[in-house]
Amino acid sequence: MNHDRAAEYAYNTLNGAIISCETVKQASKRFLNDLDRQDTEDFPYHYNAEYAENVCKFIELLPTDNREKLKLLPFQSFLICNLFGWRTQDNGMRFKTLLYSCARKSGKSFLVASISLVYLCLERGFSKQVLFTAGSLQQAHLAFDKAKNQLRNMQQVSPAICERFKITSEKILDKDTDSFAVPLATNGNTGRLDGYGADFAVMDECGNIPNKVFTDTKQALETGMIQNPNAVLCMISTAGTSVNSFKSECEYAKKILSGKVENERYLALIYSLDGEEEFLDKKLWVKANPIIADAEIGGTMLEKIENDVQTATQQGDLSNVLVKNFNIWKQVTENPFIEMSEWKKAETSKMDIRGKDCYIGIDLSVRNDLTAISWIVPLDNGEWYADSFSFIGTSKGIERKERTDEFNYRQAAKRGECELSTLESGIIDYDRVFDWLMNFIEDNRLNVLGIGYDPYNSNSLVAKLDKSPLPLIAVRQGPLTLNVPTRGFHDMLLSGKIHHAKNKLLDYAAANATVKIINNNWLLQKTSKMSGKHIDPMAALIDSYVIGMDYFDKQENNEEMDNYYSKDFSF
């Protein structure tokens, strides 16, 4: 094939001429593999190299603020050629979703502005809507203002562009096609998107958007795009400092790149270090900061990153540097109970626990908003398996609760991780909780060795359990009781002895859990007393471990006693 910027970049990342991270190499392999199978029965897409080159040349014609000639860098061309070069059989755009992530100050706003103008100016259609969305209007304006300035600069050298576009502080209007581009701030309220039917939508700095807001915004934009087969949603961001929906989106994108999941209409490009230890090698910084390859910008960027690394090293906390400078997701919480990278390592598929011994912990809600039941099951190999189920109160409305707690409980209910209150009042129905627990135990034929609960928050559920034959054990919530089990659970999980089911609500609780240290004793608590984020499923899990942690020691003692008494003492 003729010279193509994307193909050249792909080959250079794979042969080592360009230092790249694993996800970029996977994106390169995907691109080259797709070239070989284009226009086949199983792959009804083709790559229009000529159009891709024309798009790149159009962007390079956009005058810079200082009127200098613009030359796209190879990594920028790779993204642009992928997004606009791949076409459907009727010459529409192949990709309906773009996820682009790299370290800060790598030209994300420029790229977003440029591809938005390409869509507005070159892609087919009339009355197109290009939306720049973000959590705040100031953030939404960053890429919009960049596009606005690019177009204004072009107007100064092109009478045709000057005639075609009307530009104001809040809108770009294409008079020829009756299309427009606007910045929009959701501020946690997706109702601001009502009335729009986006054709090309940007969600900027997704790593900073709370779970519920991200999910609702994405859903609102995608819903508005349903009637346009050529619509595109772009999610752009650097990594963040908390487990949120965009991180989950990045994990999904990585599965596409690795081939674990197939989605031919999802374009993902993620630039990051392949491991935290790589920050020690300056030659590898380009993996997360591809703009360093630019001779002009590279020197300044390297110096800035060097200063950031040096300052962070002196302060003894590299978390923010790893996130912002190297695009690595890092939980930045004071005294986190468990690093989420370690928690995810312990994830396993759902296990069959029928007929097993089991310890159950119950964390009862104070305000009738979330009650959690967690259980831990000793396995034959000396390890443990854990899982959880919760009951969600909706007295103030599920939308408000999801927004406050920053978690999508309705999706969790569909996954089988929780149940929403069905009472008209929205409070938790403890008769229903009791029935669920009894059915769970019976259905799995569990040998329940103990049910741990906090006596301080005991209610009607505890009273009903007390009348049952199940062994009910009070677990007082102080450091004297919880210190050893909390430390023990933490150490057992890190050593690979505790495994937990794939359960996003339990993940959410683990991410929100921190350790309060009182006289060197550990006590579990949430990140902030004022925070709406819950740790109840994790607290219930710790309660179950409190009463079960000596299980294997008791088993060993019982075995020794059995062996002792089974000896033949005859003379």
Side-chain angles (χ1 to χ4, degrees), residues 245-298:
S245 294
F246 181 64
K247 185 178 188 299
S248 298
E249 193 75 33
C250 289
E251 294 301 324
Y252 173 71
K254 288 178 181 178
K255 289 179 181 178
I256 295 172
L257 292 173
S258 66
K260 294 178 181 178
V261 171
E262 184 179 298
N263 188 337
E264 302 293 7
R265 309 206 71 174
Y266 194 115
L267 176 61
L269 201 52
I270 301 172
Y271 289 87
S272 68
L273 296 188
D274 286 315
E276 293 182 13
E277 71 285 350
E278 288 190 344
F279 89 91
L280 296 169
D281 188 345
K282 292 181 188 177
K283 296 193 298 294
L284 301 180
W285 290 359
V286 70
K287 286 186 176 185
N289 301 272
I291 203 166
I292 286 176
D294 181 86
E296 239 178 81
I297 301 173

Side-chain angles (χ1 to χ4, degrees), residues 408-422:
N408 194 322
Y409 292 111
R410 284 173 287 188
Q411 287 296 323
K414 291 179 181 179
R415 293 191 300 266
E417 298 166 1
C418 67
E419 183 178 291
L420 307 184
S421 173
T422 57

Side-chain angles (χ1 to χ4, degrees), residues 488-504:
F489 183 96
H490 173 273
D491 294 345
M492 289 286 281
L493 185 130
L494 263 58
S495 65
K497 296 294 182 66
I498 292 179
H499 312 277
H500 62 85
K502 185 176 182 180
N503 183 325
K504 290 186 178 180

Side-chain angles (χ1 to χ4, degrees), residues 461-478:
L461 175 63
V462 175
K464 293 190 74 169
L465 288 171
D466 199 27
K467 296 176 183 177
S468 76
L470 296 171
L472 201 58
I473 303 170
V475 179
R476 302 202 173 274
Q477 303 296 295

Side-chain angles (χ1 to χ4, degrees), residues 9 20-28 75 78-79 98-103 235 237-239 246-258 266-274 286-290 326-329:
Y9 181 81
S20 304
C21 62
E22 185 61 28
T23 50
V24 171
K25 290 177 181 176
Q26 289 171 341
S28 297
F75 83 95
F78 184 65
L79 184 150
L98 164 66
L99 186 147
Y100 176 59
S101 181
C102 63
M235 294 172 284
S237 188
T238 299
F246 181 64
K247 185 178 188 299
S248 298
E249 193 75 33
C250 289
E251 294 301 324
Y252 173 71
K254 288 178 181 178
K255 289 179 181 178
I256 295 172
L257 292 173
S258 66
Y266 194 115
L267 176 61
L269 201 52
I270 301 172
Y271 289 87
S272 68
L273 296 188
D274 286 315
V286 70
K287 286 186 176 185
N289 301 272
F326 301 119
N327 203 32
I328 292 176
W329 287 88

Side-chain angles (χ1 to χ4, degrees), residues 479-480 482-484 487 515-523:
L480 293 178
L482 297 177
N483 173 52
V484 172
R487 287 176 182 265
V515 172
K516 182 178 182 180
I517 302 176
I518 305 173
N519 297 326
N520 205 34
N521 292 316
W522 282 21
L523 186 63

Side-chain angles (χ1 to χ4, degrees), residues 526-539:
K526 61 182 183 178
T527 51
S528 167
K529 288 183 178 180
M530 300 303 294
S531 171
K533 297 181 178 181
H534 288 275
I535 65 168
D536 306 66
M538 180 56 69

